[in-house]
Amino acid sequence: MAMVVDSCVVGTFFAFLLGSILLYILRRNATAKADKRRDRHPYGPGGAVDEIRNDCVRVPTNGEVRPERGPEADVIIVGAGVAGAALAHTLGKDGRRVHVIERDLTEPDRIVGELLQPGGYLKLIELGLQDCVEQIDAQRVLGYALFKDGRSTRLSYPLEKFHADVAGRSFHNGRFVQRMREKAATLSNVQLKQGTVTSLLEENGTIKGVQYKTKTGQELRSYAPLTIVCDGCFSNLRRSLCDPKVDVPSCFVGLVLENCKLPFPNHGHVILGDPSPILFYPISSTEVRCLVDVPGQKIPSIANGELAKYLKTTVTPQIPPELHTAFIAAIDKGNIRTMPNRSMPAAPYPTPGALLMGDAFNMRHPLTGGGMTVALSDIVVLRDLLKPLRDLNDSASLCKYLECFYTLRKPVASTINTLAGALYKVFCASPDQARKEMREACFDYLSLGGVCSTGPVALLSGLNPRPSSLVLHFFSVAIYGVGRLLLPFPSPKRLWIGARLISGASAIIFPIIKAEGVRQMFFPATVPAYYRAPPNDINYNAA
């Protein structure tokens, strides 16, 4: 074992050196593409602003009744899910007049958005929303348990330096969202309305507000200097504000297991199954969520019983025996839910008067449960940027200033996004021998304990979302896999598999990093927008 660890240390150094060179090359390519993109969508008339006009209602300049004293709200928020509700309370608490328009204000019923990582819980505390996980039977999550081929290992969150209350939380998504909506509604300057936003209102290249339809079918308009679109993963407005490149690598099949105990209490459970991972985590004191990942966009039919048969014959043998009875009972109960797993890198068009947030803006595979952590982290960044501004009426200057939002959020968001995408690909079964070795090396590396487990788990939990640490640990796993192959005696076949393992690892992580943006992710201080100061004419709120 000592020889393997020594090999890992030496190999890690060379892997990191190789990775740095490749990152430099990717950074140059990314910068060149960014310049071309700016040429295609420059700030101002004729550029990105013109792109949104086909998808937005053009505000009439004649004959329209507009509020005489200006807009009745400072900010319009489209959507009141996790991101929208948290943002509404945050901006309302800062004294902004907030108008929230949500399609359905009844309690949501979703099979994702149920696990909040410790890093996300810290952001919840920073926003003053930590009480929203109370009174909903939320469960403390202290880490993960990993299962493979009858073996298991426990990976605890590195929480020693934090307050005793800090941990992950798992819950019913709808209960959590409703608690945040209720808290936002307690502020007199926050108005929640039920309605479907049909379009953005644009005038001279600037978003002035939204047009929406009420439950009764009445069409209304609302105006504000800033409209923030948080209408979720199925957003019908994002095309106006970004270049959406949505990928659907797999689907989740969701079940709720009742009155059963997980092998490791207060832990999420990840089974490295065939063909892809299976997840278990508690969502109440009596319920356990199971998510079965099915690669691709097609799943067996629920109607003719094919999906139930697949779950019983293919999935059941792979899960821990103590969960078999509850798992089969959940299948027989028939409440089987499905949803596509989407990923989409953030590629915004800076647009005066509008901003994207949440899953409408940026998505990653939900395997690692990082979505809410990214959304809450983004809200903290945006809150801090808006706080010194007295008003938001100079849309052009505000848009230019908020370009720094896209850079400041990148290190945290991109680390979590990249980890989710890379880990999903590593955890999926493959007939390729090099991919098999990478999967086995990942399990064994995490099982070593010490920095080999706490480092990756700190990344996963959002407690230490550093891009350099992600790359270091990812290639440490690859080098560890090569070491396992070459010791005690290397052979030409093993050398070839080892070379393919390193090549395969690079092919997994570097395209994800490239899509996220190498320069913003690793070198944000080199981006001019990073240093952008608030506009002088709408500057500091002395209060």
Side-chain angles (χ1 to χ4, degrees), residues 345-359:
Y349 300 146
T351 305
L355 198 69
L356 277 169
M357 294 282 285
D359 283 349

Side-chain angles (χ1 to χ4, degrees), residues 2 124 136 140 152 260 268 305 353 384 403 474 499 520:
L124 208 64
I136 60 172
R140 285 170 58 85
S152 66
C260 69
D384 293 343
E403 285 181 11
F474 188 80
Q520 288 181 317

Side-chain angles (χ1 to χ4, degrees), residues 280-491:
F280 293 91
Y281 52 87
I283 54 174
S284 75
S285 55
T286 60
E287 297 166 301
V288 170
R289 169 68 71 193
C290 171
L291 295 173
V292 179
D293 186 85
V294 179
Q297 300 182 28
K298 293 183 179 180
I299 61 173
S301 171
I302 296 178
N304 64 14
E306 287 182 4
L307 183 56
K309 182 181 178 182
Y310 172 81
L311 294 173
K312 288 182 177 180
T313 59
T314 303
V315 177
T316 302
Q318 301 185 63
I319 68 176
E322 51 265 59
L323 298 178
H324 283 188
T325 301
F327 185 72
I328 293 173
I331 298 170
D332 291 339
K333 190 174 181 180
N335 189 21
I336 303 174
R337 306 276 303 280
T338 64
M339 71 158 290
N341 294 324
R342 297 171 172 236
S343 63
M344 183 186 78
Y349 300 146
T351 305
L355 198 69
L356 277 169
M357 294 282 285
D359 283 349
F361 175 47
N362 183 207
M363 295 181 284
R364 76 291 310 148
H365 196 284
L367 171 69
T368 58
M372 289 189 289
T373 300
V374 172
L376 294 171
S377 176
D378 284 354
I379 291 170
V380 170
V381 173
L382 182 62
R383 177 201 64 182
D384 293 343
L385 289 173
L386 293 179
K387 198 167 249 183
L389 305 185
R390 183 169 58 251
D391 66 69
L392 309 175
N393 288 302
D394 187 343
S395 297
S397 297
L398 181 63
C399 178
K400 199 74 175 175
Y401 168 55
L402 288 182
E403 285 181 11
C404 64
F405 166 75
Y406 303 119
T407 301
L408 294 172
R409 69 177 293 274
K410 268 293 180 179
V412 172
S414 294
T415 299
I416 293 173
N417 295 344
T418 303
L419 179 64
L423 209 56
Y424 176 71
K425 292 184 178 181
V426 171
F427 279 1
C428 283
S430 172
D432 180 75
Q433 187 60 37
R435 290 286 295 274
K436 286 181 180 178
E437 291 292 340
M438 183 70 177
R439 193 186 196 209
E440 184 71 26
C442 186
F443 181 88
D444 289 348
Y445 180 86
L446 293 171
S447 300
L448 290 174
V451 70
C452 296
S453 64
T454 58
V457 173
L459 290 164
L460 178 70
S461 63
L463 295 172
N464 181 32
R466 295 171 59 189
S468 58
S469 182
L470 169 62
V471 173
L472 177 64
H473 281 288
F474 188 80
F475 279 101
S476 293
V477 170
I479 296 300
Y480 180 76
V482 173
R484 292 172 66 256
L485 283 168
L486 301 185
L487 296 175
F489 301 109
S491 67

